[in-house]
Amino acid sequence: MTNQNYDYDALRAQMQALLAEKRTTGLRSLLTEMNSFDVAEFLTELREDSEQLMVLVYLLLSKEQGAEVFAELDTPEQELIINSISDSQLGAIIEEMYVDDAVDLMEELPANVVKRVMRAATPETRTLINQYLKYPENSAGSIMTAEFIDLKKYMNVRESIARIRRIGEDKETIYVCYVTSADRKLEGVVTVKDLLLHDDDDVISDIMDTNVIYTHTTVDQEDVADLISDYDLLAVPVVDKENRLVGIITVDDIIDVIEAENTEDIEKMAGIVPTDTPYARSRVLEIWKSRIPWLLFLMLSATLTQMVLTHYEDALAVQAVLTAYIPMLMGTGGNSGSQASTAVIRSLSLGETEPSDVIKVIWREIRVAALCGVTLATVNFIKLLAVDRLLLQNPAVTVPVALTICLTLVLVVVFAKMVGSTLPLLAEKIGVDPAVMAAPLISTLTDTVSLLIYFQFARLVLRI
Amino acid sequence: MTNQNYDYDALRAQMQALLAEKRTTGLRSLLTEMNSFDVAEFLTELREDSEQLMVLVYLLLSKEQGAEVFAELDTPEQELIINSISDSQLGAIIEEMYVDDAVDLMEELPANVVKRVMRAATPETRTLINQYLKYPENSAGSIMTAEFIDLKKYMNVRESIARIRRIGEDKETIYVCYVTSADRKLEGVVTVKDLLLHDDDDVISDIMDTNVIYTHTTVDQEDVADLISDYDLLAVPVVDKENRLVGIITVDDIIDVIEAENTEDIEKMAGIVPTDTPYARSRVLEIWKSRIPWLLFLMLSATLTQMVLTHYEDALAVQAVLTAYIPMLMGTGGNSGSQASTAVIRSLSLGETEPSDVIKVIWREIRVAALCGVTLATVNFIKLLAVDRLLLQNPAVTVPVALTICLTLVLVVVFAKMVGSTLPLLAEKIGVDPAVMAAPLISTLTDTVSLLIYFQFARLVLRI
């Protein structure tokens, strides 16, 4: 694993010893040396033993560190702390927090706690938070922060650096500064690197880059993530409908967005309804609620396969051997389809494939499917006659039966790959999340068609 | 979609017009205004029409922009360019590139092209690249870059800023500087923000943070990504076995790592053998090669379900109605299992769950499974008697038959969720990638067990 110059495990052991001896002064000085991420980890661990102890240790932190650690905690721990501190302490935390973190907090807390927090904030902060809360969920507006550095284009490098030195302390990033007009319109961007590499008397308007890559408050956070990742940005500015600069989104927040969006995609692809709570912290009932909808839907939609099988009951009675290969055919169809749908879904979400590529994708998948189908059918034909007929001594596995199974196999793979690759593209086109068109749904679809193909070939080849 | 102050689509149209009129001067000045990412996009699009044209446009770029754009291109385009330029042009590109990008290039190019590129580089660059190529694939060493700013602890702020101004131009980041001893050991870290917020005469040793979060050359890139994401870093320093600072990894490279690792996980979870080529650029044979291994393996392992069904052929002949519900039971088992395995795999990869949590996970999954199983069984029991028996008028669906199906359902869901949640944890424990223990494998396992449970209940309830 990763090594750190300062060793979290050793620090934790030290802290636990100090805690046991109730030596708060030693504990406090140790805490100030730690990263807020690790302090949050420590508090979360502490909470498992004693909620009261967690709050007491939290209260040892300085105002600044307290706010930083608070932002790193999960909602249940945040709620515990809010419920244990005075309104003035709460107010101090809210004022120290970056607006985007405060907004995240408001979105997760129960309504009565939100009220108390909002009362504790200053009127300015309250207005700002309220304004942010109006942006749609997962939009650039909802994740941006108002703490950025703005410069004017008539300033020179010396004045700009002086301004950064004066107001930089509390900004999310000081390395990218935004040049705005008198009416707050975004005019350019200048990095601290640009400033340092120019002379003190150079003027911002000569240095700044006017080709600004920016985004709007209403843009989806996933698209913002693409911008930052494609153009290797440290931050992206966000403008409102009137093109006024209202906030920025920094790369560290975007990493969290990328991980969250990936988790959401992966969950959807497995037939799980995404929630905001991580699996490790979810309660049983929450997990049940996120899993049962798709299970129910898919179970009930299996009525289709059941009807096909009931319809061909007599055929199966004549050729009982066919039943044994149904799971293999359905399994291979499901796997072939989910490979194709997964590849397309991922490609869509990385922006490499567009819905307009549908013809290209289908043509490629047909060829892949033909290759896969023929490979599988050939191997299976040999296996049927060599293993099932000779080794396992099943005389019912005749050449016509093997032929029926293998012809079905080819067609099932082709059908599954075509459905698997086109459904996500279609979903994207009509504005549905393509991740839903994944393994579970594709399997249910291919299951039914596999059976229909199977019985058609059985009728054709075995004349049943 | 995202808006940009400068509009790529408009620029592209302009460039195509200039290209058509062969106005290279206009084209060149337009290109210099563009981001290297977009120029790379444009070149890749051009290539689809004419490879020669792509190379010609590339050659219009300045030395610096040429190197940047080159690094953004994919291997096929890079190869085309390498094959069309002189050795001295090639040498210039290599010298301008960051070492990590050059190393990426070497890892992907065919051996004969690598030889030519290496000959074109200066001896120093050649040594550096060779040294990097020795690090294991996907290790911190293989993705780090040597272009960082190092300071000494006896320097003051003024001297430090002067040094950054002098050597900062070509560094991957100037915002995080590393303080090293005479023997190149890492002693501390100082940001440009720290420098700007301190007085010119303050000494680095008083400002620097000695609690450096760093990593080793041999650490897996996924763990480096966790470090950067957990601690919100712009860059992480990399040290060798002797604890000497040898490179840094910046956040923009880590975003690519995160996306690549997520793609790899998702592919593995869908039974696709991961490759380095994105789906949109893969050739049919490559896709076939990445998909056929699991398809073959899973198809052949369906021999198990086939043997169970053959074994119970007579029982099915007596109660033919049972066959119709096999797909539903296997499907529900597969979906239940893959929900659990997906949740656990994702939780492991985000570092929220550890293999030691196995008891906690199993206990939670058993309760979730019991809830899901009972819900599904209840709904299905009603559906069997109301829809299948009454509406679809199938008299074979008796209460004992419905009971057999629903009892099986509960047990199948419990078994699937237990297997689905424990196998990934087991895999992680023994050092196998847990992502392999996903839907396809879990389904094949639960398919067989579902059938066995089904026939046991049938024997018990229906006495067949």
Side-chain angles (χ1 to χ4, degrees), chain A residues 325 328-337 339 368-385 402-403 405-417, chain B residues 271 288 291-302:
Chain A
Y325 297 97
M328 183 276 290
L329 287 171
M330 296 200 314
T332 305
N335 291 327
S336 303
Q339 285 181 333
V368 172
L371 267 179
C372 285
V374 170
T375 317
L376 293 173
T378 311
V379 172
N380 206 33
F381 194 80
I382 299 168
K383 181 246 171 193
L384 282 167
L385 296 180
L403 208 62
I405 295 169
C406 293
L407 284 174
T408 306
L409 205 49
V410 177
L411 236 71
V412 163
V413 172
V414 171
F415 173 80
K417 290 229 179 273
Chain B
W288 172 80
R291 293 190 189 170
I292 198 72
W294 275 101
L295 286 182
L296 269 176
F297 171 75
L298 296 168
M299 178 184 81
L300 292 176
S301 58

Short mmCIF file of all heavy atoms in Angstrom, two decimals, chain A residues 325 328-337 339 368-385 402-403 405-417, chain B residues 271 288 291-302:
data_model
loop_
_atom_site.label_atom_id
_atom_site.label_comp_id
_atom_site.label_asym_id
_atom_site.label_seq_id
_atom_site.Cartn_x
_atom_site.Cartn_y
_atom_site.Cartn_z
N TYR A 325 -30.30 -27.87 -22.48
CA TYR A 325 -29.41 -26.85 -23.05
C TYR A 325 -29.99 -25.44 -22.99
O TYR A 325 -29.35 -24.49 -23.44
CB TYR A 325 -29.03 -27.25 -24.49
CG TYR A 325 -28.26 -28.54 -24.48
CD1 TYR A 325 -28.89 -29.76 -24.72
CD2 TYR A 325 -26.91 -28.53 -24.16
CE1 TYR A 325 -28.18 -30.94 -24.65
CE2 TYR A 325 -26.19 -29.71 -24.09
CZ TYR A 325 -26.84 -30.92 -24.34
OH TYR A 325 -26.13 -32.08 -24.25
N MET A 328 -27.77 -22.97 -20.96
CA MET A 328 -26.56 -22.60 -21.69
C MET A 328 -26.87 -21.56 -22.76
O MET A 328 -26.17 -20.55 -22.89
CB MET A 328 -25.95 -23.86 -22.31
CG MET A 328 -24.65 -23.66 -23.05
SD MET A 328 -24.86 -23.13 -24.77
CE MET A 328 -25.53 -24.63 -25.50
N LEU A 329 -27.95 -21.78 -23.51
CA LEU A 329 -28.31 -20.85 -24.57
C LEU A 329 -28.68 -19.47 -24.01
O LEU A 329 -28.23 -18.44 -24.51
CB LEU A 329 -29.49 -21.40 -25.38
CG LEU A 329 -29.14 -22.57 -26.30
CD1 LEU A 329 -30.40 -23.20 -26.88
CD2 LEU A 329 -28.20 -22.12 -27.41
N MET A 330 -29.47 -19.48 -22.92
CA MET A 330 -29.87 -18.20 -22.35
C MET A 330 -28.68 -17.49 -21.71
O MET A 330 -28.53 -16.28 -21.82
CB MET A 330 -30.99 -18.42 -21.33
CG MET A 330 -32.27 -18.97 -21.99
SD MET A 330 -33.76 -18.71 -20.99
CE MET A 330 -33.14 -19.22 -19.42
N GLY A 331 -27.84 -18.27 -21.06
CA GLY A 331 -26.65 -17.69 -20.42
C GLY A 331 -25.73 -17.04 -21.45
O GLY A 331 -25.28 -15.91 -21.28
N THR A 332 -25.46 -17.79 -22.54
CA THR A 332 -24.57 -17.26 -23.57
C THR A 332 -25.17 -16.02 -24.21
O THR A 332 -24.47 -15.03 -24.46
CB THR A 332 -24.29 -18.33 -24.63
OG1 THR A 332 -23.79 -19.49 -23.97
CG2 THR A 332 -23.26 -17.84 -25.63
N GLY A 333 -26.49 -16.04 -24.45
CA GLY A 333 -27.15 -14.86 -24.99
C GLY A 333 -27.01 -13.68 -24.05
O GLY A 333 -26.62 -12.58 -24.46
N GLY A 334 -27.27 -13.90 -22.77
CA GLY A 334 -27.16 -12.83 -21.78
C GLY A 334 -25.76 -12.27 -21.71
O GLY A 334 -25.56 -11.04 -21.72
N ASN A 335 -24.77 -13.16 -21.66
CA ASN A 335 -23.39 -12.69 -21.56
C ASN A 335 -22.95 -11.93 -22.83
O ASN A 335 -22.30 -10.89 -22.73
CB ASN A 335 -22.44 -13.86 -21.32
CG ASN A 335 -22.62 -14.47 -19.94
OD1 ASN A 335 -22.94 -13.77 -18.98
ND2 ASN A 335 -22.44 -15.77 -19.83
N SER A 336 -23.32 -12.46 -24.00
CA SER A 336 -22.96 -11.77 -25.25
C SER A 336 -23.57 -10.38 -25.29
O SER A 336 -22.91 -9.40 -25.65
CB SER A 336 -23.47 -12.55 -26.45
OG SER A 336 -22.97 -13.85 -26.43
N GLY A 337 -24.84 -10.31 -24.91
CA GLY A 337 -25.53 -9.03 -24.94
C GLY A 337 -24.95 -8.04 -23.96
O GLY A 337 -24.76 -6.87 -24.28
N GLN A 339 -21.94 -7.96 -22.74
CA GLN A 339 -20.63 -7.49 -23.19
C GLN A 339 -20.80 -6.30 -24.13
O GLN A 339 -20.15 -5.26 -23.98
CB GLN A 339 -19.88 -8.60 -23.93
CG GLN A 339 -19.32 -9.70 -23.04
CD GLN A 339 -18.58 -10.76 -23.84
OE1 GLN A 339 -18.89 -10.97 -25.02
NE2 GLN A 339 -17.63 -11.42 -23.22
N VAL A 368 -18.44 -8.84 -35.07
CA VAL A 368 -17.93 -9.45 -33.84
C VAL A 368 -18.82 -10.63 -33.46
O VAL A 368 -18.35 -11.72 -33.09
CB VAL A 368 -17.87 -8.43 -32.68
CG1 VAL A 368 -17.54 -9.11 -31.37
CG2 VAL A 368 -16.87 -7.33 -32.98
N ALA A 369 -20.14 -10.42 -33.54
CA ALA A 369 -21.09 -11.45 -33.14
C ALA A 369 -20.97 -12.69 -34.03
O ALA A 369 -21.00 -13.83 -33.55
CB ALA A 369 -22.51 -10.91 -33.19
N ALA A 370 -20.81 -12.46 -35.34
CA ALA A 370 -20.67 -13.59 -36.25
C ALA A 370 -19.43 -14.41 -35.86
O ALA A 370 -19.48 -15.64 -35.75
CB ALA A 370 -20.57 -13.09 -37.69
N LEU A 371 -18.32 -13.70 -35.63
CA LEU A 371 -17.09 -14.39 -35.23
C LEU A 371 -17.29 -15.16 -33.92
O LEU A 371 -16.93 -16.33 -33.82
CB LEU A 371 -15.97 -13.37 -35.02
CG LEU A 371 -15.05 -13.06 -36.20
CD1 LEU A 371 -14.03 -12.02 -35.80
CD2 LEU A 371 -14.33 -14.35 -36.63
N CYS A 372 -17.85 -14.47 -32.91
CA CYS A 372 -18.06 -15.11 -31.61
C CYS A 372 -19.02 -16.29 -31.76
O CYS A 372 -18.78 -17.38 -31.24
CB CYS A 372 -18.65 -14.12 -30.61
SG CYS A 372 -17.47 -12.92 -29.99
N GLY A 373 -20.12 -16.07 -32.49
CA GLY A 373 -21.13 -17.12 -32.65
C GLY A 373 -20.55 -18.36 -33.29
O GLY A 373 -20.76 -19.48 -32.80
N VAL A 374 -19.79 -18.17 -34.38
CA VAL A 374 -19.22 -19.33 -35.07
C VAL A 374 -18.20 -20.04 -34.18
O VAL A 374 -18.18 -21.27 -34.11
CB VAL A 374 -18.60 -18.88 -36.42
CG1 VAL A 374 -17.80 -20.01 -37.03
CG2 VAL A 374 -19.70 -18.41 -37.37
N THR A 375 -17.37 -19.28 -33.47
CA THR A 375 -16.40 -19.91 -32.56
C THR A 375 -17.12 -20.75 -31.52
O THR A 375 -16.79 -21.92 -31.30
CB THR A 375 -15.59 -18.83 -31.82
OG1 THR A 375 -15.21 -17.81 -32.73
CG2 THR A 375 -14.37 -19.43 -31.16
N LEU A 376 -18.11 -20.15 -30.87
CA LEU A 376 -18.83 -20.86 -29.82
C LEU A 376 -19.54 -22.08 -30.37
O LEU A 376 -19.49 -23.17 -29.78
CB LEU A 376 -19.85 -19.92 -29.16
CG LEU A 376 -19.29 -18.74 -28.36
CD1 LEU A 376 -20.41 -17.80 -27.92
CD2 LEU A 376 -18.52 -19.23 -27.13
N ALA A 377 -20.19 -21.92 -31.52
CA ALA A 377 -20.95 -23.02 -32.09
C ALA A 377 -20.03 -24.18 -32.46
O ALA A 377 -20.35 -25.35 -32.20
CB ALA A 377 -21.72 -22.54 -33.31
N THR A 378 -18.88 -23.87 -33.04
CA THR A 378 -17.94 -24.92 -33.42
C THR A 378 -17.47 -25.69 -32.19
O THR A 378 -17.51 -26.92 -32.15
CB THR A 378 -16.72 -24.31 -34.14
OG1 THR A 378 -17.18 -23.42 -35.14
CG2 THR A 378 -15.86 -25.38 -34.74
N VAL A 379 -17.01 -24.94 -31.19
CA VAL A 379 -16.53 -25.59 -29.96
C VAL A 379 -17.66 -26.42 -29.35
O VAL A 379 -17.46 -27.57 -28.92
CB VAL A 379 -16.03 -24.54 -28.95
CG1 VAL A 379 -15.71 -25.20 -27.61
CG2 VAL A 379 -14.82 -23.82 -29.49
N ASN A 380 -18.85 -25.86 -29.33
CA ASN A 380 -19.97 -26.54 -28.68
C ASN A 380 -20.38 -27.80 -29.46
O ASN A 380 -20.74 -28.81 -28.86
CB ASN A 380 -21.16 -25.59 -28.56
CG ASN A 380 -22.06 -25.98 -27.40
OD1 ASN A 380 -21.58 -26.49 -26.40
ND2 ASN A 380 -23.36 -25.77 -27.57
N PHE A 381 -20.31 -27.74 -30.78
CA PHE A 381 -20.68 -28.89 -31.60
C PHE A 381 -19.76 -30.07 -31.27
O PHE A 381 -20.22 -31.19 -31.03
CB PHE A 381 -20.56 -28.52 -33.09
CG PHE A 381 -21.22 -29.50 -34.00
CD1 PHE A 381 -22.60 -29.48 -34.19
CD2 PHE A 381 -20.48 -30.49 -34.65
CE1 PHE A 381 -23.23 -30.40 -35.02
CE2 PHE A 381 -21.09 -31.41 -35.48
CZ PHE A 381 -22.47 -31.37 -35.67
N ILE A 382 -18.48 -29.79 -31.21
CA ILE A 382 -17.51 -30.84 -30.87
C ILE A 382 -17.76 -31.35 -29.46
O ILE A 382 -17.79 -32.55 -29.20
CB ILE A 382 -16.07 -30.29 -30.99
CG1 ILE A 382 -15.81 -29.86 -32.44
CG2 ILE A 382 -15.05 -31.30 -30.52
CD1 ILE A 382 -14.55 -29.05 -32.63
N LYS A 383 -18.01 -30.40 -28.53
CA LYS A 383 -18.24 -30.77 -27.13
C LYS A 383 -19.51 -31.64 -27.00
O LYS A 383 -19.53 -32.62 -26.26
CB LYS A 383 -18.37 -29.49 -26.29
CG LYS A 383 -18.59 -29.72 -24.81
CD LYS A 383 -19.96 -29.23 -24.39
CE LYS A 383 -20.32 -29.62 -22.98
NZ LYS A 383 -21.75 -29.40 -22.73
N LEU A 384 -20.55 -31.26 -27.73
CA LEU A 384 -21.81 -32.02 -27.65
C LEU A 384 -21.60 -33.47 -28.05
O LEU A 384 -22.05 -34.39 -27.36
CB LEU A 384 -22.87 -31.37 -28.56
CG LEU A 384 -23.53 -30.11 -28.02
CD1 LEU A 384 -24.30 -29.39 -29.12
CD2 LEU A 384 -24.46 -30.45 -26.86
N LEU A 385 -20.90 -33.66 -29.18
CA LEU A 385 -20.75 -35.03 -29.68
C LEU A 385 -19.67 -35.79 -28.93
O LEU A 385 -19.82 -36.99 -28.66
CB LEU A 385 -20.46 -35.00 -31.18
CG LEU A 385 -21.62 -34.40 -32.02
CD1 LEU A 385 -21.29 -34.39 -33.49
CD2 LEU A 385 -22.93 -35.18 -31.77
N ALA A 402 -27.55 -31.66 -31.96
CA ALA A 402 -26.37 -30.79 -31.82
C ALA A 402 -26.46 -29.63 -32.81
O ALA A 402 -26.12 -28.49 -32.49
CB ALA A 402 -25.09 -31.59 -32.04
N LEU A 403 -26.93 -29.93 -34.00
CA LEU A 403 -27.07 -28.90 -35.04
C LEU A 403 -28.09 -27.84 -34.61
O LEU A 403 -27.85 -26.64 -34.77
CB LEU A 403 -27.53 -29.58 -36.34
CG LEU A 403 -27.10 -28.88 -37.64
CD1 LEU A 403 -25.60 -28.84 -37.76
CD2 LEU A 403 -27.73 -29.59 -38.83
N ILE A 405 -28.94 -27.00 -31.60
CA ILE A 405 -28.36 -26.20 -30.51
C ILE A 405 -27.36 -25.18 -31.07
O ILE A 405 -27.38 -24.00 -30.71
CB ILE A 405 -27.68 -27.11 -29.48
CG1 ILE A 405 -28.75 -28.00 -28.80
CG2 ILE A 405 -26.91 -26.31 -28.44
CD1 ILE A 405 -28.19 -29.12 -27.97
N CYS A 406 -26.49 -25.63 -31.99
CA CYS A 406 -25.41 -24.76 -32.44
C CYS A 406 -25.90 -23.68 -33.40
O CYS A 406 -25.40 -22.56 -33.38
CB CYS A 406 -24.29 -25.59 -33.05
SG CYS A 406 -23.51 -26.60 -31.77
N LEU A 407 -26.89 -24.02 -34.23
CA LEU A 407 -27.46 -22.99 -35.10
C LEU A 407 -28.13 -21.91 -34.24
O LEU A 407 -27.99 -20.71 -34.49
CB LEU A 407 -28.49 -23.61 -36.05
CG LEU A 407 -27.90 -24.40 -37.22
CD1 LEU A 407 -29.00 -25.10 -38.02
CD2 LEU A 407 -27.09 -23.49 -38.13
N THR A 408 -28.86 -22.38 -33.21
CA THR A 408 -29.49 -21.42 -32.29
C THR A 408 -28.43 -20.51 -31.68
O THR A 408 -28.60 -19.28 -31.61
CB THR A 408 -30.22 -22.18 -31.16
OG1 THR A 408 -31.12 -23.12 -31.75
CG2 THR A 408 -30.99 -21.21 -30.27
N LEU A 409 -27.33 -21.11 -31.24
CA LEU A 409 -26.24 -20.38 -30.60
C LEU A 409 -25.78 -19.20 -31.45
O LEU A 409 -25.66 -18.06 -30.97
CB LEU A 409 -25.09 -21.36 -30.35
CG LEU A 409 -24.11 -21.06 -29.22
CD1 LEU A 409 -24.82 -20.72 -27.93
CD2 LEU A 409 -23.20 -22.27 -29.00
N VAL A 410 -25.53 -19.46 -32.73
CA VAL A 410 -25.03 -18.40 -33.61
C VAL A 410 -26.04 -17.25 -33.67
O VAL A 410 -25.68 -16.08 -33.47
CB VAL A 410 -24.76 -18.94 -35.04
CG1 VAL A 410 -24.32 -17.80 -35.95
CG2 VAL A 410 -23.71 -20.03 -35.01
N LEU A 411 -27.29 -17.61 -33.90
CA LEU A 411 -28.31 -16.57 -34.05
C LEU A 411 -28.54 -15.80 -32.75
O LEU A 411 -28.75 -14.59 -32.76
CB LEU A 411 -29.63 -17.19 -34.53
CG LEU A 411 -30.14 -16.53 -35.82
CD1 LEU A 411 -29.25 -16.92 -36.98
CD2 LEU A 411 -31.58 -16.89 -36.07
N VAL A 412 -28.49 -16.53 -31.63
CA VAL A 412 -28.70 -15.90 -30.32
C VAL A 412 -27.60 -14.88 -30.05
O VAL A 412 -27.86 -13.75 -29.61
CB VAL A 412 -28.74 -16.97 -29.21
CG1 VAL A 412 -28.53 -16.33 -27.84
CG2 VAL A 412 -30.06 -17.72 -29.25
N VAL A 413 -26.36 -15.25 -30.36
CA VAL A 413 -25.24 -14.34 -30.11
C VAL A 413 -25.38 -13.09 -30.99
O VAL A 413 -25.21 -11.96 -30.52
CB VAL A 413 -23.88 -15.04 -30.36
CG1 VAL A 413 -22.74 -14.04 -30.29
CG2 VAL A 413 -23.67 -16.15 -29.35
N VAL A 414 -25.73 -13.29 -32.25
CA VAL A 414 -25.89 -12.14 -33.14
C VAL A 414 -27.02 -11.23 -32.65
O VAL A 414 -26.85 -10.01 -32.53
CB VAL A 414 -26.16 -12.60 -34.60
CG1 VAL A 414 -26.54 -11.41 -35.48
CG2 VAL A 414 -24.93 -13.31 -35.16
N PHE A 415 -28.15 -11.85 -32.30
CA PHE A 415 -29.28 -11.05 -31.81
C PHE A 415 -28.90 -10.29 -30.54
O PHE A 415 -29.16 -9.09 -30.40
CB PHE A 415 -30.50 -11.94 -31.56
CG PHE A 415 -31.63 -11.20 -30.91
CD1 PHE A 415 -32.47 -10.40 -31.66
CD2 PHE A 415 -31.85 -11.29 -29.53
CE1 PHE A 415 -33.51 -9.70 -31.06
CE2 PHE A 415 -32.88 -10.60 -28.92
CZ PHE A 415 -33.72 -9.81 -29.69
N ALA A 416 -28.27 -11.01 -29.59
CA ALA A 416 -27.93 -10.40 -28.30
C ALA A 416 -26.97 -9.23 -28.48
O ALA A 416 -27.13 -8.17 -27.86
CB ALA A 416 -27.31 -11.46 -27.37
N LYS A 417 -25.98 -9.40 -29.34
CA LYS A 417 -25.00 -8.32 -29.51
C LYS A 417 -25.63 -7.12 -30.21
O LYS A 417 -25.29 -5.98 -29.92
CB LYS A 417 -23.78 -8.83 -30.30
CG LYS A 417 -22.92 -9.80 -29.51
CD LYS A 417 -21.46 -9.46 -29.55
CE LYS A 417 -20.59 -10.41 -28.74
NZ LYS A 417 -20.48 -10.03 -27.33
N GLY B 271 -17.43 -9.54 -18.07
CA GLY B 271 -16.80 -10.67 -18.74
C GLY B 271 -16.06 -10.28 -20.00
O GLY B 271 -16.00 -11.05 -20.96
N TRP B 288 -13.28 -9.31 -30.63
CA TRP B 288 -13.54 -10.75 -30.53
C TRP B 288 -12.60 -11.37 -29.51
O TRP B 288 -13.01 -12.13 -28.64
CB TRP B 288 -13.35 -11.38 -31.92
CG TRP B 288 -13.40 -12.88 -31.92
CD1 TRP B 288 -14.52 -13.66 -31.89
CD2 TRP B 288 -12.29 -13.78 -31.95
NE1 TRP B 288 -14.18 -14.98 -31.90
CE2 TRP B 288 -12.80 -15.08 -31.94
CE3 TRP B 288 -10.91 -13.62 -31.99
CZ2 TRP B 288 -11.99 -16.22 -31.96
CZ3 TRP B 288 -10.10 -14.73 -32.02
CH2 TRP B 288 -10.64 -16.01 -32.01
N ARG B 291 -13.56 -10.70 -25.97
CA ARG B 291 -14.84 -11.20 -25.49
C ARG B 291 -14.96 -12.71 -25.48
O ARG B 291 -15.70 -13.28 -24.69
CB ARG B 291 -15.97 -10.63 -26.36
CG ARG B 291 -16.13 -9.14 -26.20
CD ARG B 291 -17.39 -8.67 -26.87
NE ARG B 291 -17.45 -7.21 -26.91
CZ ARG B 291 -18.34 -6.54 -27.61
NH1 ARG B 291 -19.24 -7.19 -28.32
NH2 ARG B 291 -18.36 -5.23 -27.60
N ILE B 292 -14.26 -13.37 -26.41
CA ILE B 292 -14.49 -14.81 -26.58
C ILE B 292 -14.02 -15.67 -25.39
O ILE B 292 -14.68 -16.67 -25.07
CB ILE B 292 -13.88 -15.30 -27.93
CG1 ILE B 292 -14.48 -16.65 -28.34
CG2 ILE B 292 -12.37 -15.37 -27.89
CD1 ILE B 292 -15.91 -16.58 -28.80
N PRO B 293 -12.93 -15.29 -24.66
CA PRO B 293 -12.49 -16.18 -23.58
C PRO B 293 -13.58 -16.45 -22.55
O PRO B 293 -13.89 -17.60 -22.22
CB PRO B 293 -11.32 -15.44 -22.95
CG PRO B 293 -10.81 -14.52 -24.00
CD PRO B 293 -12.02 -14.14 -24.81
N TRP B 294 -14.21 -15.37 -22.04
CA TRP B 294 -15.25 -15.57 -21.03
C TRP B 294 -16.49 -16.26 -21.61
O TRP B 294 -17.11 -17.08 -20.95
CB TRP B 294 -15.64 -14.24 -20.38
CG TRP B 294 -14.72 -13.89 -19.26
CD1 TRP B 294 -13.68 -13.01 -19.29
CD2 TRP B 294 -14.72 -14.46 -17.95
NE1 TRP B 294 -13.05 -12.98 -18.08
CE2 TRP B 294 -13.66 -13.87 -17.24
CE3 TRP B 294 -15.51 -15.41 -17.29
CZ2 TRP B 294 -13.37 -14.19 -15.91
CZ3 TRP B 294 -15.22 -15.73 -15.98
CH2 TRP B 294 -14.16 -15.13 -15.30
N LEU B 295 -16.84 -15.91 -22.85
CA LEU B 295 -18.01 -16.55 -23.46
C LEU B 295 -17.80 -18.06 -23.54
O LEU B 295 -18.69 -18.85 -23.21
CB LEU B 295 -18.27 -15.98 -24.86
CG LEU B 295 -18.87 -14.58 -24.94
CD1 LEU B 295 -19.11 -14.19 -26.39
CD2 LEU B 295 -20.18 -14.50 -24.15
N LEU B 296 -16.59 -18.46 -23.99
CA LEU B 296 -16.28 -19.89 -24.10
C LEU B 296 -16.33 -20.55 -22.73
O LEU B 296 -16.97 -21.58 -22.54
CB LEU B 296 -14.88 -20.06 -24.69
CG LEU B 296 -14.79 -20.19 -26.20
CD1 LEU B 296 -13.34 -20.24 -26.63
CD2 LEU B 296 -15.52 -21.45 -26.68
N PHE B 297 -15.66 -19.93 -21.78
CA PHE B 297 -15.59 -20.52 -20.44
C PHE B 297 -16.99 -20.67 -19.84
O PHE B 297 -17.33 -21.72 -19.29
CB PHE B 297 -14.71 -19.65 -19.53
CG PHE B 297 -14.76 -20.05 -18.09
CD1 PHE B 297 -14.09 -21.18 -17.65
CD2 PHE B 297 -15.51 -19.33 -17.17
CE1 PHE B 297 -14.14 -21.57 -16.32
CE2 PHE B 297 -15.57 -19.70 -15.84
CZ PHE B 297 -14.89 -20.83 -15.41
N LEU B 298 -17.79 -19.61 -19.96
CA LEU B 298 -19.12 -19.65 -19.36
C LEU B 298 -20.03 -20.63 -20.10
O LEU B 298 -20.84 -21.33 -19.48
CB LEU B 298 -19.74 -18.25 -19.33
CG LEU B 298 -18.98 -17.24 -18.45
CD1 LEU B 298 -19.47 -15.82 -18.69
CD2 LEU B 298 -19.11 -17.61 -16.97
N MET B 299 -19.88 -20.71 -21.42
CA MET B 299 -20.68 -21.66 -22.18
C MET B 299 -20.37 -23.09 -21.75
O MET B 299 -21.27 -23.90 -21.50
CB MET B 299 -20.41 -21.51 -23.68
CG MET B 299 -21.17 -22.49 -24.55
SD MET B 299 -20.72 -22.35 -26.30
CE MET B 299 -19.20 -23.29 -26.36
N LEU B 300 -19.08 -23.38 -21.63
CA LEU B 300 -18.70 -24.74 -21.26
C LEU B 300 -19.08 -25.06 -19.82
O LEU B 300 -19.44 -26.19 -19.50
CB LEU B 300 -17.19 -24.94 -21.48
CG LEU B 300 -16.80 -24.91 -22.96
CD1 LEU B 300 -15.28 -25.02 -23.12
CD2 LEU B 300 -17.49 -26.04 -23.73
N SER B 301 -19.04 -24.05 -18.94
CA SER B 301 -19.38 -24.34 -17.54
C SER B 301 -20.89 -24.54 -17.37
O SER B 301 -21.34 -25.03 -16.33
CB SER B 301 -18.86 -23.25 -16.61
OG SER B 301 -19.39 -22.01 -16.98
N ALA B 302 -21.67 -24.20 -18.40
CA ALA B 302 -23.11 -24.49 -18.35
C ALA B 302 -23.35 -25.99 -18.45
O ALA B 302 -24.49 -26.45 -18.31
CB ALA B 302 -23.84 -23.77 -19.47
#
